[in-house]
Amino acid sequence: MVFSCLSIPGEDISKIKNKKMHLFRRKLGVIFQDFRLLKDKTAYENVELSMRVVGTRKKDIKPRVLEVLDKVGLLDKAKKYPSELSGGECQRVAIARAIVNKPSIIIADECTGNLDLENSIEIIKILNEINKEGTTVIMATHDIELLKIFNKRTIELKDGVIVRDTKGEVYEDNI
């Protein structure tokens, strides 16, 4: 995924020096189609690791991890390993991991691609709530049915060129 002119309030990422890029990345949360959870870590530990990596104070980690696990409906699964969770639950752990450091932007790359429609809708509801709280959510999807269900701005690309921008209008198949 390449962004040629993405800007964050107060920053133009095209002008960020390579040695400062890690600081910019801390403002991003990323959710992948294949979850990318560490199999030998519990749901709690997968989320906690994101905070430890950026140097969060130890005393601040546990309350925040529990808060985001609760937000995605998995507080009762904190001690479970990915192999003990369903696909939808694994994706919710991945969302918790992405939001735990309070990013400005969430990039969700085909985050519903491995899920059935019911779980996909649940994931979109969580992302909508995150968006309502002020976080920008950029979601890449090929799932036209989800676009029909949720009335959000939709930008369609073909060969890297914008061919449609609904700007929040209901997505129509017949355009």
Side-chain angles (χ1 to χ4, degrees), residues 52-71:
R52 287 195 294 126
V53 165
V54 298
T56 304
R57 294 183 310 181
K58 192 172 184 173
K59 71 176 192 145
D60 296 331
I61 293 175
K62 185 174 183 177
R64 178 67 181 155
V65 172
L66 295 177
E67 176 187 340
V68 297
L69 285 173
D70 188 39
K71 178 182 226 130

Side-chain angles (χ1 to χ4, degrees), residues 24-171:
F24 167 74
R25 287 185 181 130
R26 290 182 181 183
K27 297 178 184 178
L28 294 176
V30 182
I31 306 165
F32 300 96
Q33 179 178 358
D34 61 359
F35 320 132
R36 305 234 175 133
L37 299 177
L38 298 172
K39 294 179 186 341
D40 64 335
K41 304 273 186 217
T42 64
Y44 179 94
E45 292 166 335
N46 266 282
V47 177
E48 172 196 44
L49 184 61
S50 290
M51 295 187 79
R52 287 195 294 126
V53 165
V54 298
T56 304
R57 294 183 310 181
K58 192 172 184 173
K59 71 176 192 145
D60 296 331
I61 293 175
K62 185 174 183 177
R64 178 67 181 155
V65 172
L66 295 177
E67 176 187 340
V68 297
L69 285 173
D70 188 39
K71 178 182 226 130
V72 300
L74 290 178
L75 190 55
D76 62 330
K77 308 274 182 170
K79 294 181 180 179
K80 299 285 184 185
Y81 290 88
S83 63
E84 301 172 307
L85 300 171
S86 70
E89 290 168 336
C90 284
Q91 194 58 290
R92 287 188 279 155
V93 173
I95 291 170
R97 181 186 56 204
I99 66 172
V100 73
N101 289 318
K102 301 180 182 177
S104 303
I105 297 174
I106 296 286
I107 299 172
D109 186 13
E110 293 285 352
C111 67
T112 59
N114 285 332
L115 305 176
D116 61 26
L117 184 59
E118 184 180 329
N119 276 307
S120 295
I121 290 170
E122 289 303 313
I123 296 303
I124 298 300
K125 286 179 181 177
I126 293 169
L127 293 176
N128 276 335
E129 287 304 311
I130 293 165
N131 180 245
K132 285 178 188 174
E133 293 169 2
T135 301
T136 299
V137 177
I138 300 169
M139 186 173 102
T141 186
H142 288 91
D143 191 337
I144 301 301
E145 294 308 310
L146 283 181
L147 298 177
K148 290 177 183 177
I149 294 169
F150 295 96
N151 186 20
K152 293 289 183 183
R153 181 178 185 182
T154 302
I155 300 171
E156 184 177 342
L157 301 174
K158 183 173 182 170
D159 299 324
V161 177
I162 295 174
V163 295
R164 180 185 348 210
D165 184 347
T166 67
K167 298 187 186 313
E169 303 151 17
V170 176
Y171 186 87

Side-chain angles (χ1 to χ4, degrees), residues 9-26:
E11 293 186 66
D12 177 351
I13 68 161
S14 66
K15 295 182 177 159
I16 296 174
K17 305 264 188 260
N18 283 341
K19 65 183 179 181
K20 299 280 185 178
M21 189 56 75
H22 71 285
L23 298 173
F24 167 74
R25 287 185 181 130
R26 290 182 181 183

